Amino acid sequence: MSKLDLDEVNSMQKGKVHGPFLVENMVCQKYHMLTSKGVFLGSDPLKYAMPLLLLQMAIIIVTSRLLYRLLKPLKQGMISAQVLAGIILGPSLFGQNAAYKDMVFPMNGKITLQTLANLGFFIHLFLLGLRIDASIIRKAGSKAILIGTASYAFPFSLGNLTVLFLKNTYKLPPDVVHCIGTVISLNAMTSFPVTTTVLAELNILNSDLGRLATNCSIVCEAFSWIVALVFRMFLRDGTASSIWSFIWVFALIIVIFVVCRPVIIWLTERRSISIDKTGEIPFFPIVMILLVISLTSEVLGVHAAFGAFWLGVSLPDGPPLGTGLSTKLDMFATSLTLPCFIAISGLQTNFFVLGKSHVKIIEAVILITYGCKFLGTAAASAYCNIQIRDAFCLALLMCCQGVIEIYTCVMWRDEKVLNTECFNLLIITLLLVTGISRFLVVYLYDPSKRYRSTSKRTILNTRQRNLQFRLLLCVYNVENVPSMVNLLEASYPSRFSPISVFTLHLVELKGRAHAVLVPHHQMNKLDPNTVQSTQIVNGFQRFEQQNQGTLMAQHFTAAAPFSSINDDICTLALDKKATLVIIPFHKQYAIDGTVDHVNPAIRSINLNVLDKAPCSVGIFIDRGETEGRRSVLMSYTWRNVAVIYIEGRDDAEALAFSMRIAEHPEVNVTMIHFRHKSTIHQNYVIEEESEFSESHLINDFKSFAMNKPKVSYREEIVRDGVETTQVISALGDSYDLVIVGRDHDLESSVLYGLTDWSECPELGVIGDMFASPDFHFSVLVIHQQEGESLAMDNSYKLPDSPPRVGDPRVHPHFSVEEGFTSVDRHSNR
């Protein structure tokens, strides 16, 4: 045997020694065993720390990703997959093989893996704290406070009463009683970061239930911190040392909020000014402060993650700090090292040590605690008049646990607060309860049920009942505003037919944990999103000043994951009784007409809104910058509008909208009616039973064209889709805006050969053609939601006759029912 082989064989020695409490394993390793000499020199890489660490990380990450793929149809999260990966790789399964265990997870390799995993974990916990807005605990209503309190008090109090009963009945040993008491404290927890993570993964973070669960969880977590701090400081050691420990930890929290927070905010503002670029953060100084605070936590006897978490809580959530730090640290902490930390809990789980007699008692207490938590939450929810199904789902969400609870289990096991049996049972039950709860919530709760119905609001219905036209405009950035304003101008708000406008600024949730849907005037002025929202609002308010008395607007901002932000759009459309929701197309066009940027997330939003909206939906293809076109705000308005009519509900809806535009005295409106050659001798007859049938609308438009010189009707006789395409291609640049229905009568010969393929099905056959870079005008694709006409009251019915000339009164429903505020046209903004 060579000297190298001999060194590798003898590189590690292990044995059992008597520790302060029990017999423990001791590992001795040579100090130079860091990097391998290479297989070509006969070296075994797995005898060295670095290759072994890389192998362990690779196995854990790959296994957890594969399990996540398998469990995704069951709506399980990544945390559950990572714990299961640890269980599979650990002594419960593969670890039973001694050769595998000594090769992949030898005792000398555990300390390196745990050190790196803990480093990633406290950074991850810092990011979780960073996403928390500490002020929401003050904003939590009485309902959330009651439910959150009951969710913690019921399992904690009834669980401890159960322990007292079992202690006197079964004469349990003191160590078991102490372990069970710890289990109760752990199961009563509901962590705010864990709850928001579960809600985001289930795409219900910004739903009514999600917002309530968010507020309830932070109340419940506040109780958890208080009880955990008291337990740690006053029940673990002697009274004097515990008091001093408590004082120093409290002093650390004060230093974090009084010293570290102002310093970091000052450094951020100074850097933004020095480089003249908002959104930049002093990354390395913040990391140094994070490391110092974490080190101080360890010096004071608490985990490094404690200080890191509170440092994150102290800093403002959202951009620039929340977004910037998450972007830089999330990949390393969450994707690379956190799986190792979570998997360690599974690696320490061993099903083969669950054989003692008191295991059944411990598991019974765990289940009783979960049951009390569920019943307490459900009972408090029912008391607050929450629907039974929603109360049931809220109780299930409050029973979900994750990374915070797993961290607590691992920490208490290392400190011998939990024995092996309690730890194993806690991890197994946590997986089962959380997994079942997530699956049931997905099955039972549908956030769209509030605005899903068989009846929908439509433009046709609004015209028929002479109701106020109410628009919900969705915008992502300032670039969306000019063309949206042009669309409002073309819609011709007047005193006889005023328009209510609701603007919704859509912001992707980054750097914060909870979703937001608030009126613009209630936004935090220090939030960078407020700056962009203000610019958007100013653009619409300027147009509102120019049309005072005929158009009134309310402005909202929604910050939520793009995977579920469609719920905010549909909820606002329902609450504000919107007739039409207009959402931007997912492609942005450059000034030369070519596609400049494609956003798949926006496309997903559009598809969800089309599927669930309680009213008609318009997808707006904005080419406002093409060929130098500008907004009405820049003294430019659309003068030429065309509507494409083939046949179908959506075409009728588009025609109804264009008839409103036709009332504008300065806009030329052309209806291009495609008819098949075989129908050239057929005439449209008004159907008496339906005043707003398609034939009636066409004849009504023809009457418009006869009486108004700027309105024209044009028929195009075609034989198939090829000739239809030729006519559409010949439109050129004659128009500023083209309106078209999304869906048509697919049996129509006019579309023959065009329905076989479509790049963007959400636009329909004709709309997809207009999305081509060959066209340079804006396009509005309108979809009438399927369903019956909505049974509306007369709250927004317009007067049957025009008001007197010079009448300064604003339509009463602008200010009384909606809370609109008038804009002073002479104010300086």
Side-chain angles (χ1 to χ4, degrees):
M1 182 179 293
S2 65
K3 184 176 183 302
L4 179 62
D5 294 336
L6 187 62
D7 288 342
E8 291 181 355
V9 171
N10 299 323
S11 63
M12 181 194 72
Q13 300 293 331
K14 61 182 179 180
K16 295 186 179 297
V17 297
H18 290 279
F21 302 106
L22 67 165
V23 177
E24 297 180 348
N25 292 311
M26 174 176 284
V27 179
C28 299
Q29 185 173 11
K30 291 186 177 181
Y31 67 90
H32 66 279
M33 304 298 290
L34 181 61
T35 57
S36 171
K37 305 300 187 293
V39 293
F40 297 105
L41 296 179
S43 175
D44 183 1
L46 298 183
K47 296 294 184 181
Y48 297 84
M50 180 60 73
L52 181 61
L53 175 64
L54 296 176
L55 176 65
Q56 291 171 339
M57 292 179 64
I59 290 177
I60 289 173
I61 293 173
V62 170
T63 305
S64 61
R65 289 284 177 178
L66 289 175
L67 288 172
Y68 176 69
R69 290 284 184 180
L70 293 174
L71 296 174
K72 196 172 182 179
L74 299 177
K75 306 303 179 183
Q76 302 305 300
M78 181 60 75
I79 299 296
S80 298
Q82 290 163 354
V83 174
L84 282 174
I87 292 174
I88 292 173
L89 298 173
S92 296
L93 195 60
F94 290 170
Q96 290 295 307
N97 186 298
Y100 159 84
K101 180 180 178 181
D102 292 338
M103 180 180 70
V104 180
F105 293 103
M107 296 184 64
N108 62 315
K110 290 182 178 180
I111 188 65
T112 307
L113 179 63
Q114 288 178 336
T115 302
L116 181 65
N118 276 271
L119 173 65
F121 173 72
F122 84 73
I123 295 176
H124 175 73
L125 214 61
F126 167 71
L127 295 177
L128 289 182
L130 189 64
R131 297 186 179 109
I132 295 176
D133 180 6
S135 65
I136 67 173
I137 194 170
R138 299 196 305 268
K139 301 174 184 177
S142 57
K143 183 185 298 185
I145 293 175
L146 175 62
I147 297 173
T149 303
S151 183
Y152 188 84
F154 266 68
F156 187 78
S157 57
L158 295 179
N160 280 291
L161 289 176
T162 303
V163 172
L164 290 176
F165 171 77
L166 293 175
K167 177 182 177 182
N168 297 327
T169 304
Y170 294 97
K171 306 298 181 183
L172 298 177
D175 60 328
V176 175
V177 174
H178 176 70
C179 179
I180 294 177
T182 306
V183 166
I184 293 171
S185 300
L186 185 63
N187 285 346
M189 290 176 60
T190 296
S191 173
F192 173 80
V194 170
T195 302
T196 53
T197 300
V198 171
L199 292 172
E201 291 175 347
L202 299 181
N203 291 329
I204 57 174
L205 180 62
N206 55 330
S207 64
D208 293 340
L209 180 65
R211 289 190 169 91
L212 180 59
T214 297
N215 293 331
C216 293
S217 65
I218 201 166
V219 173
C220 188
E221 186 171 23
F223 284 103
S224 303
W225 276 105
I226 294 171
V227 173
L229 203 59
V230 170
F231 170 80
R232 184 177 183 86
M233 297 304 160
F234 294 100
L235 299 181
R236 189 184 63 170
D237 301 319
T239 304
S241 60
S242 296
I243 292 176
W244 278 109
S245 177
F246 177 83
I247 291 174
W248 280 108
V249 170
F250 187 71
L252 174 64
I253 296 177
I254 292 177
V255 169
I256 289 173
F257 280 88
V258 176
V259 178
C260 297
R261 171 188 164 89
V263 168
I264 292 176
I265 293 176
W266 176 76
L267 289 173
T268 304
E269 293 175 348
R270 182 183 177 188
R271 179 169 178 81
S272 298
I273 295 173
S274 63
I275 65 175
D276 193 24
K277 185 177 181 181
T278 58
E280 288 294 323
I281 59 172
F283 177 69
F284 289 105
I286 294 175
V287 170
M288 291 306 300
I289 294 174
L290 171 62
L291 295 177
V292 170
I293 293 297
S294 300
L295 174 61
T296 306
S297 300
E298 290 287 344
V299 171
L300 297 179
V302 292
H303 197 282
F306 177 86
F309 177 76
W310 283 105
L311 178 63
V313 172
S314 70
L315 299 178
D317 64 327
L321 280 175
T323 305
L325 290 172
S326 296
T327 301
K328 295 178 183 294
L329 294 174
D330 197 61
M331 180 60 70
F332 170 77
T334 305
S335 302
L336 194 62
T337 55
L338 183 66
C340 300
F341 182 87
I342 303 299
I344 286 174
S345 64
L347 291 169
Q348 295 176 347
T349 303
N350 190 350
F351 293 160
F352 294 95
V353 296
L354 300 177
K356 296 187 178 180
S357 57
H358 53 257
V359 167
K360 295 181 179 179
I361 296 177
I362 296 174
E363 181 62 24
V365 172
I366 294 175
L367 294 177
I368 289 173
T369 309
Y370 274 118
C372 292
K373 188 174 186 68
F374 177 86
L375 293 176
T377 306
S381 302
Y383 178 80
C384 295
N385 297 321
I386 297 176
Q387 293 182 0
I388 298 300
R389 175 171 288 201
D390 289 354
F392 187 82
C393 292
L394 179 60
L396 291 172
L397 287 171
M398 297 297 284
C399 290
C400 290
Q401 297 184 324
V403 62
I404 303 296
E405 291 78 13
I406 291 173
Y407 150 68
T408 307
C409 286
V410 173
M411 181 183 67
W412 283 351
R413 185 183 188 278
D414 293 341
E415 295 178 354
K416 310 302 179 185
V417 177
L418 291 176
N419 58 31
T420 304
E421 290 81 9
C422 279
F423 177 82
N424 291 342
L425 292 172
L426 276 172
I427 295 297
I428 296 169
T429 311
L430 182 150
L431 276 178
L432 291 175
V433 171
T434 302
I436 293 172
S437 298
R438 289 173 61 109
F439 181 80
L440 289 177
V441 168
V442 172
Y443 178 75
L444 294 173
Y445 182 70
D446 180 11
S448 64
K449 67 180 180 180
R450 184 167 178 258
Y451 45 82
R452 274 184 183 270
S453 65
T454 57
S455 54
K456 309 287 183 179
R457 289 185 174 83
T458 66
I459 304 173
L460 282 169
N461 188 251
T462 300
R463 285 183 61 84
Q464 181 181 13
R465 295 169 180 258
N466 194 30
L467 299 175
Q468 186 186 101
F469 191 52
R470 303 168 70 80
L471 273 172
L472 174 58
L473 305 180
C474 302
V475 295
Y476 293 96
N477 47 52
V478 178
E479 287 74 17
N480 298 144
V481 175
S483 294
M484 288 286 190
V485 171
N486 273 345
L487 187 61
L488 285 177
E489 168 64 20
S491 300
Y492 191 49
S494 63
R495 290 188 181 276
F496 179 58
S497 182
I499 296 178
S500 293
V501 177
F502 309 94
T503 65
L504 181 60
H505 180 204
L506 304 176
V507 181
E508 186 174 10
L509 189 68
K510 291 183 179 179
R512 56 163 52 103
H514 64 287
V516 175
L517 175 60
V518 293
H520 172 71
H521 65 274
Q522 295 182 9
M523 290 188 66
N524 182 2
K525 294 183 179 180
L526 299 178
D527 190 339
N529 289 327
T530 307
V531 177
Q532 188 178 36
S533 294
T534 301
Q535 294 173 348
I536 292 171
V537 169
N538 288 342
F540 285 104
Q541 284 187 342
R542 182 178 174 185
F543 179 72
E544 186 179 359
Q545 291 173 2
Q546 299 171 1
N547 296 271
Q548 193 165 17
T550 64
L551 180 143
M552 297 293 279
Q554 280 186 299
H555 311 283
F556 298 85
T557 297
F562 273 1
S563 58
S564 60
I565 203 169
N566 57 281
D567 289 327
D568 287 331
I569 299 173
C570 296
T571 297
L572 192 62
L574 179 70
D575 290 345
K576 299 303 179 182
K577 298 182 173 66
T579 307
L580 176 66
V581 175
I582 297 181
I583 48 181
F585 189 46
H586 69 277
K587 293 182 180 180
Q588 294 180 359
Y589 294 85
I591 196 168
D592 61 352
T594 59
V595 177
D596 181 47
H597 178 67
V598 178
N599 193 328
I602 294 180
R603 183 180 190 183
S604 178
I605 293 172
N606 294 348
L607 290 171
N608 288 330
V609 173
L610 282 170
D611 180 50
K612 301 176 181 179
C615 61
S616 296
V617 179
I619 299 180
F620 186 50
I621 303 176
D622 182 9
R623 294 192 177 98
E625 295 297 324
T626 303
E627 295 187 351
R629 301 178 191 269
R630 293 294 183 266
S631 165
V632 65
L633 301 176
M634 306 293 292
S635 301
Y636 175 88
T637 58
W638 289 339
R639 290 290 179 254
N640 298 289
V641 176
V643 56
I644 305 297
Y645 188 91
I646 297 176
E647 196 175 359
R649 295 164 55 97
D650 291 355
D651 282 345
E653 192 80 350
L655 183 57
F657 182 64
S658 67
M659 290 176 70
R660 181 183 181 93
I661 299 177
E663 296 172 0
H664 199 298
E666 299 179 2
V667 177
N668 299 306
V669 179
T670 303
M671 175 183 173
I672 305 175
H673 185 189
F674 286 86
R675 300 181 63 182
H676 191 257
K677 191 175 182 180
S678 60
T679 64
I680 192 171
H681 299 296
Q682 296 179 7
N683 294 320
Y684 285 97
V685 180
I686 299 178
E687 301 173 16
E688 296 181 359
E689 70 276 10
S690 178
E691 180 185 356
F692 282 84
S693 62
E694 294 182 30
S695 58
H696 184 100
L697 285 171
I698 294 172
N699 284 282
D700 197 13
F701 192 92
K702 287 181 178 180
S703 299
F704 262 69
M706 293 174 61
N707 299 322
K708 294 189 176 183
K710 288 183 176 292
V711 180
S712 59
Y713 172 82
R714 178 175 130 203
E715 280 190 358
E716 292 290 345
I717 308 301
V718 295
R719 290 178 295 182
D720 52 24
V722 175
E723 293 189 0
T724 302
T725 304
Q726 292 173 351
V727 173
I728 290 175
S729 301
L731 293 178
D733 298 328
S734 305
Y735 301 100
D736 300 307
L737 173 69
V738 171
I739 304 171
V740 61
R742 177 195 179 209
D743 296 328
H744 316 278
D745 182 4
L746 298 181
E747 301 297 327
S748 173
S749 301
V750 172
L751 300 176
Y752 182 77
L754 298 180
T755 59
D756 297 335
W757 181 85
S758 179
E759 181 183 358
C760 300
E762 66 271 23
L763 298 178
V765 177
I766 305 300
D768 186 57
M769 295 172 59
F770 283 132
S772 167
D774 298 334
F775 299 95
H776 299 283
F777 44 71
S778 296
V779 181
L780 180 64
V781 180
I782 295 181
H783 174 62
Q784 184 191 84
Q785 296 291 75
E786 294 184 3
E788 302 171 358
S789 298
L790 195 62
M792 301 188 218
D793 55 24
N794 292 324
S795 301
Y796 304 102
K797 189 173 181 61
L798 299 175
D800 294 328
S801 59
R804 294 188 303 272
V805 178
D807 187 355
R809 292 176 299 172
V810 178
H811 192 273
H813 296 297
F814 275 143
S815 55
V816 177
E817 296 194 5
E818 298 293 343
F820 286 100
T821 56
S822 299
V823 178
D824 184 2
R825 71 172 69 217
H826 303 294
S827 64
N828 295 322
R829 294 184 181 272

